[in-house]
Amino acid sequence: AQSVTQLGSHVSVSEGALVLLRCNYSSSVPPYLFWYVQYPNQGLQLLLKYTTGATLVKGINGFEAEFKKSETSFHLTKPSAHMSDAAEYFCAPSGAGSYQLTFGKGTKLSVIP
Amino acid sequence: DVKVTQSSRYLVKRTGEKVFLECVQDMDHENMFWYRQDPGLGLRLIYFSYDVKMKEKGDIPEGYSVSREKKERFSLILESASTNQTSMYLCASRRGTVNQPQHFGDGTRLSIL
């Protein structure tokens, strides 16, 4: 079974600064990897996904993530934070052949004006 | 766009009541999921269904049951509600291959008094 660690339950950045949200998973088999965003009082929305192919994945709202097999990481980045990026972000790996996603505990991003 | 609709956004019930949470998806997805979300714990899988009338226990099935009589509808049942089941409940659906993303409803915030 997969396990996933999101480093930092809360991250604060200034508007216009780099956003970096960390995700590490544990698996001997390369997984499928997803990042989701949750705005207040809403469900989860897919930001981006890695399944196969190019390891740098671009998503919605200017976010991207890089799959690094050697580091078992899938960190989420955005060059310049916007106030509207304030939300909670979840990393979720899925093992090949598994029905289930394993969700990280989430990182709440605050953007300071 | 995929639409996952949960029947209630907010629900208040009393301990010992039988509670039904309904979820409907409009994209003919094979897989459906019920999660509960609690602060600091992320999303935890209660039950999932990979086909009509088929179900599998997730990580925290105790105190819950599910029903999937039609492909588009997946119901979560709290047989005898207790205060520790106060939580946000999220439904999701997915096409029947593990490299596809899950699509979420907006959630039901359930309070058990």
Side-chain angles (χ1 to χ4, degrees), chain A residues 36 38 41 43 98-99 105, chain B residues 9 37 40 94 98-99 102 105:
Chain A
Y36 286 86
Q38 185 179 33
N41 297 316
S98 168
Y99 284 104
K105 288 185 167 44
Chain B
R9 292 297 305 275
Q37 182 179 18
R94 185 187 66 189
V98 296
N99 62 350
Q102 293 185 15

Side-chain angles (χ1 to χ4, degrees), chain B residues 23-84:
Chain B
C23 176
V24 177
Q25 51 97 1
D26 67 356
M27 283 301 292
D28 202 37
H29 284 171
E30 291 84 1
N31 303 158
M32 296 189 75
F33 306 81
W34 275 107
Y35 296 88
R36 66 177 280 176
Q37 182 179 18
D38 300 287
L41 297 179
L43 275 74
R44 293 179 292 168
L45 182 65
I46 305 172
Y47 268 97
F48 67 97
S49 169
Y50 50 91
D51 204 346
V52 176
K53 297 190 187 295
M54 308 303 287
K55 61 186 179 185
E56 291 284 344
K57 293 179 180 179
D59 300 318
I60 52 163
E62 295 78 19
Y64 303 95
S65 62
V66 290
S67 173
R68 190 156 180 216
E69 296 297 318
K70 293 186 177 182
K71 193 173 187 180
E72 68 270 18
R73 186 179 298 269
F74 192 35
S75 302
L76 180 69
I77 304 154
L78 285 66
E79 296 290 344
S80 178
S82 64
T83 55
N84 63 11

Side-chain angles (χ1 to χ4, degrees), chain A residues 4-5 7 12 19-21 25-26 29 31 36 47 50 56 58 64 66 70 73 82 88-89 98 100 108 110 113:
Chain A
V4 55
T5 301
L7 196 61
S12 291
V19 176
L20 170 60
L21 304 181
Y25 63 91
S26 67
V29 177
Y36 286 86
L47 263 182
Y50 169 79
L56 183 62
K58 294 188 185 300
E64 61 183 37
E66 186 170 11
S70 61
S73 69
H82 191 271
E88 191 158 19
Y89 293 80
S98 168
Q100 298 187 37
K108 192 163 287 188
S110 299

